[in-house]
Amino acid sequence: MQFNAKFAALISTLAVMSASVVGSPAPVASVDGATNADDSSYIVSNEAMLHWISTTDAELTFVGEPVNPLSPRAAQNTIVTFCNKRTQNICGGSCSVYNGGPTCLAARGTSCLSATANVGFCDHDNCSGSCNSLDSCGTKLANGFCFTPGTNSIVVGSN
């Protein structure tokens, strides 16, 4: 009997340990309080972007092709969301959502952005001046957004 009780305790301990090993990594808080999973590129998935679009209380304006995950070209397009306000680690306010291929987006007044592929953000109009890549975001915000003050245009490349 004593062997069965110890064996059962060992099995339950192993089950708990294996469940904690298999679980997802906990989000890591950055210096400014934003959270992220250990993703250095900070490019969001189509699913994460669509979830944010469907649940945000930000004012959204859609630009480019309609956002439809079932369209034949959906996987080839890049979705970029750029907004004019940052409150602590949340990006919001008035946001534009672009869905499409390579282009230069006018984005005057942008404070933060998120994208499903690497994009560039520039401090001058017409995708000129000093430009940085989203995958080297310096200040990461919640929900895959990057703090990008002074952005006036966004370079969308081919996916």
Side-chain angles (χ1 to χ4, degrees):
M1 278 301 219
Q2 194 173 27
F3 173 76
N4 285 341
K6 287 182 181 181
F7 184 73
L10 174 65
I11 294 299
S12 70
T13 301
L14 289 175
V16 169
M17 289 173 56
S18 66
S20 64
V21 169
V22 173
S24 301
V28 178
S30 67
V31 176
D32 66 352
T35 60
N36 61 67
D38 188 24
D39 181 354
S40 61
S41 69
Y42 223 64
I43 308 303
V44 298
S45 68
N46 283 335
E47 294 79 12
M49 180 68 77
L50 294 174
H51 177 74
W52 185 87
I53 290 169
S54 68
T55 59
T56 186
D57 61 357
E59 178 185 323
L60 301 178
T61 301
F62 292 88
V63 182
E65 298 177 29
V67 177
N68 178 0
L70 301 177
S71 73
R73 292 182 33 96
Q76 297 170 355
N77 286 350
T78 298
I79 302 174
V80 182
T81 301
F82 48 106
C83 306
N84 68 347
K85 290 193 170 117
R86 171 192 175 187
T87 304
Q88 296 180 7
N89 73 330
I90 303 296
C91 185
S94 295
C95 303
S96 295
V97 179
Y98 169 77
N99 180 38
T103 193
C104 177
L105 297 170
R108 191 169 284 279
T110 295
S111 291
C112 43
L113 65 89
S114 179
T116 59
N118 197 23
V119 297
F121 50 98
C122 307
D123 64 357
H124 287 90
D125 295 334
N126 301 315
C127 296
S128 62
S130 177
C131 299
N132 295 292
S133 296
L134 180 59
D135 68 355
S136 61
C137 175
T139 305
K140 297 174 183 179
L141 305 176
N143 300 308
F145 281 83
C146 178
F147 184 49
T148 60
T151 296
N152 286 313
S153 57
I154 300 170
V155 181
V156 181
S158 58
N159 209 1

PDB file of all heavy atoms in Angstrom, residues 49-72:
ATOM      1  N   MET A  49      -3.232  40.180 -35.535  1.00  0.00           N
ATOM      2  CA  MET A  49      -3.669  41.484 -36.062  1.00  0.00           C
ATOM      3  C   MET A  49      -5.182  41.524 -36.208  1.00  0.00           C
ATOM      4  O   MET A  49      -5.833  42.496 -35.798  1.00  0.00           O
ATOM      5  CB  MET A  49      -3.000  41.757 -37.410  1.00  0.00           C
ATOM      6  CG  MET A  49      -3.393  43.088 -38.032  1.00  0.00           C
ATOM      7  SD  MET A  49      -2.786  44.534 -37.157  1.00  0.00           S
ATOM      8  CE  MET A  49      -1.082  44.531 -37.698  1.00  0.00           C
ATOM      9  N   LEU A  50      -5.773  40.474 -36.778  1.00  0.00           N
ATOM     10  CA  LEU A  50      -7.220  40.433 -36.957  1.00  0.00           C
ATOM     11  C   LEU A  50      -7.943  40.439 -35.615  1.00  0.00           C
ATOM     12  O   LEU A  50      -8.997  41.070 -35.471  1.00  0.00           O
ATOM     13  CB  LEU A  50      -7.627  39.219 -37.793  1.00  0.00           C
ATOM     14  CG  LEU A  50      -7.141  39.248 -39.245  1.00  0.00           C
ATOM     15  CD1 LEU A  50      -7.468  37.937 -39.947  1.00  0.00           C
ATOM     16  CD2 LEU A  50      -7.697  40.437 -39.997  1.00  0.00           C
ATOM     17  N   HIS A  51      -7.373  39.766 -34.621  1.00  0.00           N
ATOM     18  CA  HIS A  51      -7.963  39.781 -33.275  1.00  0.00           C
ATOM     19  C   HIS A  51      -7.937  41.201 -32.712  1.00  0.00           C
ATOM     20  O   HIS A  51      -8.938  41.673 -32.164  1.00  0.00           O
ATOM     21  CB  HIS A  51      -7.220  38.814 -32.347  1.00  0.00           C
ATOM     22  CG  HIS A  51      -7.731  38.853 -30.942  1.00  0.00           C
ATOM     23  ND1 HIS A  51      -8.928  38.286 -30.576  1.00  0.00           N
ATOM     24  CD2 HIS A  51      -7.218  39.428 -29.826  1.00  0.00           C
ATOM     25  CE1 HIS A  51      -9.132  38.503 -29.290  1.00  0.00           C
ATOM     26  NE2 HIS A  51      -8.108  39.190 -28.820  1.00  0.00           N
ATOM     27  N   TRP A  52      -6.811  41.899 -32.845  1.00  0.00           N
ATOM     28  CA  TRP A  52      -6.721  43.274 -32.336  1.00  0.00           C
ATOM     29  C   TRP A  52      -7.733  44.161 -33.050  1.00  0.00           C
ATOM     30  O   TRP A  52      -8.446  44.932 -32.407  1.00  0.00           O
ATOM     31  CB  TRP A  52      -5.301  43.836 -32.517  1.00  0.00           C
ATOM     32  CG  TRP A  52      -5.173  45.195 -31.901  1.00  0.00           C
ATOM     33  CD1 TRP A  52      -4.860  45.486 -30.606  1.00  0.00           C
ATOM     34  CD2 TRP A  52      -5.401  46.456 -32.549  1.00  0.00           C
ATOM     35  NE1 TRP A  52      -4.881  46.844 -30.406  1.00  0.00           N
ATOM     36  CE2 TRP A  52      -5.210  47.462 -31.584  1.00  0.00           C
ATOM     37  CE3 TRP A  52      -5.742  46.820 -33.839  1.00  0.00           C
ATOM     38  CZ2 TRP A  52      -5.350  48.813 -31.869  1.00  0.00           C
ATOM     39  CZ3 TRP A  52      -5.896  48.175 -34.132  1.00  0.00           C
ATOM     40  CH2 TRP A  52      -5.692  49.151 -33.149  1.00  0.00           C
ATOM     41  N   ILE A  53      -7.820  44.044 -34.377  1.00  0.00           N
ATOM     42  CA  ILE A  53      -8.763  44.857 -35.146  1.00  0.00           C
ATOM     43  C   ILE A  53     -10.190  44.614 -34.681  1.00  0.00           C
ATOM     44  O   ILE A  53     -10.981  45.556 -34.548  1.00  0.00           O
ATOM     45  CB  ILE A  53      -8.619  44.561 -36.666  1.00  0.00           C
ATOM     46  CG1 ILE A  53      -7.288  45.123 -37.180  1.00  0.00           C
ATOM     47  CG2 ILE A  53      -9.790  45.121 -37.460  1.00  0.00           C
ATOM     48  CD1 ILE A  53      -6.922  44.664 -38.584  1.00  0.00           C
ATOM     49  N   SER A  54     -10.535  43.362 -34.407  1.00  0.00           N
ATOM     50  CA  SER A  54     -11.918  43.029 -34.033  1.00  0.00           C
ATOM     51  C   SER A  54     -12.255  43.370 -32.582  1.00  0.00           C
ATOM     52  O   SER A  54     -13.429  43.425 -32.230  1.00  0.00           O
ATOM     53  CB  SER A  54     -12.211  41.556 -34.310  1.00  0.00           C
ATOM     54  OG  SER A  54     -11.468  40.737 -33.437  1.00  0.00           O
ATOM     55  N   THR A  55     -11.259  43.622 -31.744  1.00  0.00           N
ATOM     56  CA  THR A  55     -11.547  43.852 -30.324  1.00  0.00           C
ATOM     57  C   THR A  55     -11.163  45.244 -29.827  1.00  0.00           C
ATOM     58  O   THR A  55     -11.485  45.591 -28.701  1.00  0.00           O
ATOM     59  CB  THR A  55     -10.826  42.813 -29.443  1.00  0.00           C
ATOM     60  OG1 THR A  55      -9.415  42.904 -29.670  1.00  0.00           O
ATOM     61  CG2 THR A  55     -11.326  41.405 -29.730  1.00  0.00           C
ATOM     62  N   THR A  56     -10.501  46.048 -30.633  1.00  0.00           N
ATOM     63  CA  THR A  56     -10.050  47.349 -30.162  1.00  0.00           C
ATOM     64  C   THR A  56     -11.201  48.351 -30.075  1.00  0.00           C
ATOM     65  O   THR A  56     -12.207  48.215 -30.772  1.00  0.00           O
ATOM     66  CB  THR A  56      -8.954  47.924 -31.081  1.00  0.00           C
ATOM     67  OG1 THR A  56      -8.458  49.124 -30.499  1.00  0.00           O
ATOM     68  CG2 THR A  56      -9.493  48.235 -32.464  1.00  0.00           C
ATOM     69  N   ASP A  57     -11.022  49.353 -29.219  1.00  0.00           N
ATOM     70  CA  ASP A  57     -11.985  50.449 -29.182  1.00  0.00           C
ATOM     71  C   ASP A  57     -11.434  51.680 -29.900  1.00  0.00           C
ATOM     72  O   ASP A  57     -12.009  52.757 -29.860  1.00  0.00           O
ATOM     73  CB  ASP A  57     -12.394  50.785 -27.751  1.00  0.00           C
ATOM     74  CG  ASP A  57     -11.229  51.227 -26.889  1.00  0.00           C
ATOM     75  OD1 ASP A  57     -10.084  51.220 -27.354  1.00  0.00           O
ATOM     76  OD2 ASP A  57     -11.474  51.586 -25.721  1.00  0.00           O
ATOM     77  N   ALA A  58     -10.301  51.523 -30.601  1.00  0.00           N
ATOM     78  CA  ALA A  58      -9.730  52.613 -31.385  1.00  0.00           C
ATOM     79  C   ALA A  58     -10.630  52.900 -32.590  1.00  0.00           C
ATOM     80  O   ALA A  58     -11.365  52.030 -33.065  1.00  0.00           O
ATOM     81  CB  ALA A  58      -8.321  52.245 -31.866  1.00  0.00           C
ATOM     82  N   GLU A  59     -10.578  54.126 -33.079  1.00  0.00           N
ATOM     83  CA  GLU A  59     -11.310  54.510 -34.279  1.00  0.00           C
ATOM     84  C   GLU A  59     -10.503  54.053 -35.487  1.00  0.00           C
ATOM     85  O   GLU A  59      -9.373  54.490 -35.684  1.00  0.00           O
ATOM     86  CB  GLU A  59     -11.471  56.030 -34.296  1.00  0.00           C
ATOM     87  CG  GLU A  59     -12.166  56.574 -35.504  1.00  0.00           C
ATOM     88  CD  GLU A  59     -12.171  58.096 -35.503  1.00  0.00           C
ATOM     89  OE1 GLU A  59     -12.308  58.695 -34.425  1.00  0.00           O
ATOM     90  OE2 GLU A  59     -11.998  58.660 -36.587  1.00  0.00           O
ATOM     91  N   LEU A  60     -11.069  53.145 -36.291  1.00  0.00           N
ATOM     92  CA  LEU A  60     -10.334  52.537 -37.399  1.00  0.00           C
ATOM     93  C   LEU A  60     -10.780  53.078 -38.749  1.00  0.00           C
ATOM     94  O   LEU A  60     -11.976  53.212 -39.010  1.00  0.00           O
ATOM     95  CB  LEU A  60     -10.510  51.019 -37.396  1.00  0.00           C
ATOM     96  CG  LEU A  60     -10.058  50.265 -36.150  1.00  0.00           C
ATOM     97  CD1 LEU A  60     -10.358  48.782 -36.299  1.00  0.00           C
ATOM     98  CD2 LEU A  60      -8.590  50.496 -35.892  1.00  0.00           C
ATOM     99  N   THR A  61      -9.809  53.349 -39.608  1.00  0.00           N
ATOM    100  CA  THR A  61     -10.049  53.705 -41.001  1.00  0.00           C
ATOM    101  C   THR A  61      -9.291  52.683 -41.840  1.00  0.00           C
ATOM    102  O   THR A  61      -8.096  52.482 -41.635  1.00  0.00           O
ATOM    103  CB  THR A  61      -9.514  55.124 -41.311  1.00  0.00           C
ATOM    104  OG1 THR A  61     -10.174  56.055 -40.463  1.00  0.00           O
ATOM    105  CG2 THR A  61      -9.751  55.486 -42.767  1.00  0.00           C
ATOM    106  N   PHE A  62      -9.981  52.033 -42.773  1.00  0.00           N
ATOM    107  CA  PHE A  62      -9.363  50.987 -43.585  1.00  0.00           C
ATOM    108  C   PHE A  62      -8.903  51.562 -44.921  1.00  0.00           C
ATOM    109  O   PHE A  62      -9.615  52.320 -45.567  1.00  0.00           O
ATOM    110  CB  PHE A  62     -10.331  49.818 -43.780  1.00  0.00           C
ATOM    111  CG  PHE A  62     -10.584  49.086 -42.500  1.00  0.00           C
ATOM    112  CD1 PHE A  62     -11.596  49.470 -41.636  1.00  0.00           C
ATOM    113  CD2 PHE A  62      -9.783  48.021 -42.138  1.00  0.00           C
ATOM    114  CE1 PHE A  62     -11.813  48.803 -40.440  1.00  0.00           C
ATOM    115  CE2 PHE A  62      -9.993  47.346 -40.951  1.00  0.00           C
ATOM    116  CZ  PHE A  62     -11.010  47.741 -40.091  1.00  0.00           C
ATOM    117  N   VAL A  63      -7.687  51.195 -45.315  1.00  0.00           N
ATOM    118  CA  VAL A  63      -7.048  51.685 -46.530  1.00  0.00           C
ATOM    119  C   VAL A  63      -6.541  50.470 -47.307  1.00  0.00           C
ATOM    120  O   VAL A  63      -6.042  49.515 -46.714  1.00  0.00           O
ATOM    121  CB  VAL A  63      -5.848  52.598 -46.175  1.00  0.00           C
ATOM    122  CG1 VAL A  63      -5.193  53.153 -47.423  1.00  0.00           C
ATOM    123  CG2 VAL A  63      -6.266  53.715 -45.240  1.00  0.00           C
ATOM    124  N   GLY A  64      -6.657  50.511 -48.629  1.00  0.00           N
ATOM    125  CA  GLY A  64      -6.172  49.393 -49.432  1.00  0.00           C
ATOM    126  C   GLY A  64      -7.252  48.340 -49.615  1.00  0.00           C
ATOM    127  O   GLY A  64      -8.443  48.639 -49.583  1.00  0.00           O
ATOM    128  N   GLU A  65      -6.817  47.122 -49.784  1.00  0.00           N
ATOM    129  CA  GLU A  65      -7.745  46.020 -50.013  1.00  0.00           C
ATOM    130  C   GLU A  65      -8.522  45.707 -48.736  1.00  0.00           C
ATOM    131  O   GLU A  65      -8.011  45.877 -47.630  1.00  0.00           O
ATOM    132  CB  GLU A  65      -6.971  44.774 -50.459  1.00  0.00           C
ATOM    133  CG  GLU A  65      -6.219  44.951 -51.757  1.00  0.00           C
ATOM    134  CD  GLU A  65      -5.401  43.730 -52.130  1.00  0.00           C
ATOM    135  OE1 GLU A  65      -5.780  42.603 -51.757  1.00  0.00           O
ATOM    136  OE2 GLU A  65      -4.378  43.922 -52.818  1.00  0.00           O
ATOM    137  N   PRO A  66      -9.769  45.223 -48.879  1.00  0.00           N
ATOM    138  CA  PRO A  66     -10.529  44.828 -47.688  1.00  0.00           C
ATOM    139  C   PRO A  66      -9.780  43.736 -46.915  1.00  0.00           C
ATOM    140  O   PRO A  66      -9.136  42.871 -47.512  1.00  0.00           O
ATOM    141  CB  PRO A  66     -11.837  44.277 -48.250  1.00  0.00           C
ATOM    142  CG  PRO A  66     -11.938  44.841 -49.631  1.00  0.00           C
ATOM    143  CD  PRO A  66     -10.522  45.035 -50.107  1.00  0.00           C
ATOM    144  N   VAL A  67      -9.853  43.792 -45.597  1.00  0.00           N
ATOM    145  CA  VAL A  67      -9.205  42.783 -44.759  1.00  0.00           C
ATOM    146  C   VAL A  67     -10.107  41.556 -44.744  1.00  0.00           C
ATOM    147  O   VAL A  67     -11.172  41.563 -44.135  1.00  0.00           O
ATOM    148  CB  VAL A  67      -8.964  43.314 -43.329  1.00  0.00           C
ATOM    149  CG1 VAL A  67      -8.368  42.225 -42.453  1.00  0.00           C
ATOM    150  CG2 VAL A  67      -8.069  44.537 -43.358  1.00  0.00           C
ATOM    151  N   ASN A  68      -9.692  40.516 -45.456  1.00  0.00           N
ATOM    152  CA  ASN A  68     -10.463  39.285 -45.558  1.00  0.00           C
ATOM    153  C   ASN A  68      -9.482  38.125 -45.561  1.00  0.00           C
ATOM    154  O   ASN A  68      -8.806  37.878 -46.557  1.00  0.00           O
ATOM    155  CB  ASN A  68     -11.302  39.278 -46.841  1.00  0.00           C
ATOM    156  CG  ASN A  68     -12.081  37.989 -47.009  1.00  0.00           C
ATOM    157  OD1 ASN A  68     -12.009  37.082 -46.188  1.00  0.00           O
ATOM    158  ND2 ASN A  68     -12.838  37.900 -48.098  1.00  0.00           N
ATOM    159  N   PRO A  69      -9.395  37.387 -44.453  1.00  0.00           N
ATOM    160  CA  PRO A  69      -8.434  36.287 -44.381  1.00  0.00           C
ATOM    161  C   PRO A  69      -8.716  35.158 -45.366  1.00  0.00           C
ATOM    162  O   PRO A  69      -7.862  34.322 -45.612  1.00  0.00           O
ATOM    163  CB  PRO A  69      -8.555  35.800 -42.939  1.00  0.00           C
ATOM    164  CG  PRO A  69      -9.880  36.267 -42.484  1.00  0.00           C
ATOM    165  CD  PRO A  69     -10.193  37.524 -43.247  1.00  0.00           C
ATOM    166  N   LEU A  70      -9.904  35.142 -45.959  1.00  0.00           N
ATOM    167  CA  LEU A  70     -10.254  34.071 -46.898  1.00  0.00           C
ATOM    168  C   LEU A  70      -9.969  34.443 -48.350  1.00  0.00           C
ATOM    169  O   LEU A  70     -10.128  33.608 -49.232  1.00  0.00           O
ATOM    170  CB  LEU A  70     -11.738  33.711 -46.742  1.00  0.00           C
ATOM    171  CG  LEU A  70     -12.148  33.246 -45.345  1.00  0.00           C
ATOM    172  CD1 LEU A  70     -13.647  32.983 -45.294  1.00  0.00           C
ATOM    173  CD2 LEU A  70     -11.358  32.021 -44.929  1.00  0.00           C
ATOM    174  N   SER A  71      -9.543  35.683 -48.606  1.00  0.00           N
ATOM    175  CA  SER A  71      -9.261  36.063 -49.991  1.00  0.00           C
ATOM    176  C   SER A  71      -8.011  35.330 -50.483  1.00  0.00           C
ATOM    177  O   SER A  71      -7.108  35.033 -49.703  1.00  0.00           O
ATOM    178  CB  SER A  71      -9.092  37.574 -50.124  1.00  0.00           C
ATOM    179  OG  SER A  71      -7.866  37.977 -49.575  1.00  0.00           O
ATOM    180  N   PRO A  72      -7.930  35.044 -51.775  1.00  0.00           N
ATOM    181  CA  PRO A  72      -6.807  34.271 -52.310  1.00  0.00           C
ATOM    182  C   PRO A  72      -5.440  34.910 -52.074  1.00  0.00           C
ATOM    183  O   PRO A  72      -4.455  34.223 -51.933  1.00  0.00           O
ATOM    184  CB  PRO A  72      -7.107  34.182 -53.811  1.00  0.00           C
ATOM    185  CG  PRO A  72      -8.528  34.537 -53.969  1.00  0.00           C
ATOM    186  CD  PRO A  72      -8.917  35.357 -52.787  1.00  0.00           C
TER     187      PRO A  72
END
